[in-house]
Amino acid sequence: MPLETEVLLQDKNKRKDGPAHSEDLALKSAAAYFGDELIHWLGIRERALRAVPTEMVELETRHMYEDFLYEMENGMYYHFEFESDSISTEDLRRFREYEASTARIYKAPVVTYVICSSEVKNLRDSITEGINTYRVSLIRLKDENGDRLLEQLAEKTAGNLTREDIIPLLFSPLMGGRFRQKERILRCIEVLKNAETIFPQNDIRKMEAILYTFAVKFLDDDELKSIKEAVAMTKLGQMIWE
């Protein structure tokens, strides 16, 4: 199901958690759409060869769903998980299980990166059980300043925007800063509106859907009204109207 359609369903249900998992949906869509640009923005120098299926069915017919998996040029597989809460021991055990299954299936080493939007200052990144220590690489979005990022983008003309610029723009609602999430999302929508002649219409619609998904996830009903008014004038709004 396209992200734009799922956004409409989530907005109708207005669920903060449960099966919709709106934040995961937005982040997975960004990972699927941007690929190398996302990886490089996260500080990973290697290039991705391709996105790899993330559903693994064990012999006992148990499904394990990773958030995102890339095969890299260096022969390794990079496994990405998105977490909006603190990372628990059970989370790390689950990630370790994913890694072991992925390594066995693809016969290659695997590294897990956890992209975290939690407010928690000290995040757990390892567990020691028996004689083994398992560790993930943490990427904490709250350490980035979303306000400064938006100010820098505002200084660029729409014609100079690139896909590399858009990646942090889409993640800015999850970053740190003084501005409220509603203000950041509104500013992001305005940037995308100004860039409608630069990117294909379908691409703009997908990016607006990612931002709107964050709005549905994080904003209350009153704040969401402002976002709906802004979205009504966008490519996504046109699709909803039609």
Side-chain angles (χ1 to χ4, degrees), residues 36-46 72 78 80 113 115 137-139 144 167:
D36 271 342
E37 291 90 348
L38 170 63
I39 288 175
H40 295 161
W41 179 69
L42 293 173
I44 301 168
R45 294 186 177 183
E46 295 84 7
M72 307 301 295
Y78 285 2
F80 291 87
Y113 291 87
I115 302 174
S137 181
L138 290 179
I139 298 171
E144 302 289 333
I167 275 286

Side-chain angles (χ1 to χ4, degrees), residues 45-210:
R45 294 186 177 183
E46 295 84 7
R47 289 180 56 83
L49 293 177
R50 63 188 178 101
V52 182
T54 56
E55 177 185 355
M56 292 176 287
V57 182
E58 291 288 307
L59 187 60
E60 58 198 52
T61 68
R62 181 165 53 92
H63 286 68
M64 295 189 293
Y65 291 100
E66 298 171 318
D67 280 349
F68 222 83
L69 184 64
Y70 287 110
E71 180 185 2
M72 307 301 295
E73 282 188 337
N74 62 8
M76 300 178 71
Y77 282 73
Y78 285 2
H79 162 220
F80 291 87
E81 288 290 326
F82 305 113
E83 289 292 328
S84 57
D85 299 314
S86 58
I87 300 172
S88 67
T89 298
E90 284 306 310
D91 289 329
L92 289 168
R93 286 173 177 157
R94 176 165 51 88
F95 301 157
R96 180 178 61 187
E97 189 174 7
Y98 290 165
E99 268 196 31
S101 294
T102 302
R104 185 171 68 251
I105 290 170
Y106 293 108
K107 296 179 173 56
V110 182
V111 176
T112 294
Y113 291 87
V114 181
I115 302 174
C116 189
S117 60
S118 171
E119 297 280 357
V120 177
K121 295 291 184 182
N122 298 312
L123 292 165
R124 177 190 293 268
D125 67 349
S126 66
I127 53 172
T128 298
E129 295 184 320
I131 63 172
N132 299 308
T133 296
Y134 170 71
R135 187 179 305 277
V136 298
S137 181
L138 290 179
I139 298 171
R140 189 172 181 273
L141 294 178
K142 292 297 181 186
D143 291 337
E144 302 289 333
N145 190 311
D147 301 341
R148 187 180 304 121
L149 165 70
L150 289 170
E151 289 170 3
Q152 292 170 347
L153 285 179
E155 295 173 358
K156 283 195 169 190
T157 61
N160 291 327
L161 284 176
T162 65
R163 286 169 65 94
E164 287 78 8
D165 293 325
I166 295 298
I167 275 286
L169 174 81
L170 295 177
F171 281 95
S172 64
L174 303 177
M175 296 178 184
R178 293 181 294 105
F179 288 115
R180 298 176 65 180
Q181 285 176 315
K182 183 189 82 169
E183 300 304 322
R184 280 191 228 149
I185 293 172
L186 285 171
R187 293 176 69 179
C188 291
I189 290 172
E190 188 62 30
V191 171
L192 291 181
K193 282 175 62 178
N194 293 333
E196 286 182 353
T197 59
I198 306 302
F199 297 95
Q201 177 175 326
N202 190 52
D203 292 353
I204 290 288
R205 197 168 62 192
K206 287 182 181 296
M207 291 185 280
E208 289 167 347
I210 290 171

Side-chain angles (χ1 to χ4, degrees), residues 216-232:
V216 172
K217 168 74 176 181
F218 294 112
L219 305 185
D220 60 33
D221 290 336
D222 288 338
E223 291 177 315
L224 194 57
K225 288 179 182 177
S226 300
I227 306 300
K228 287 181 176 179
E229 291 172 0
V231 167

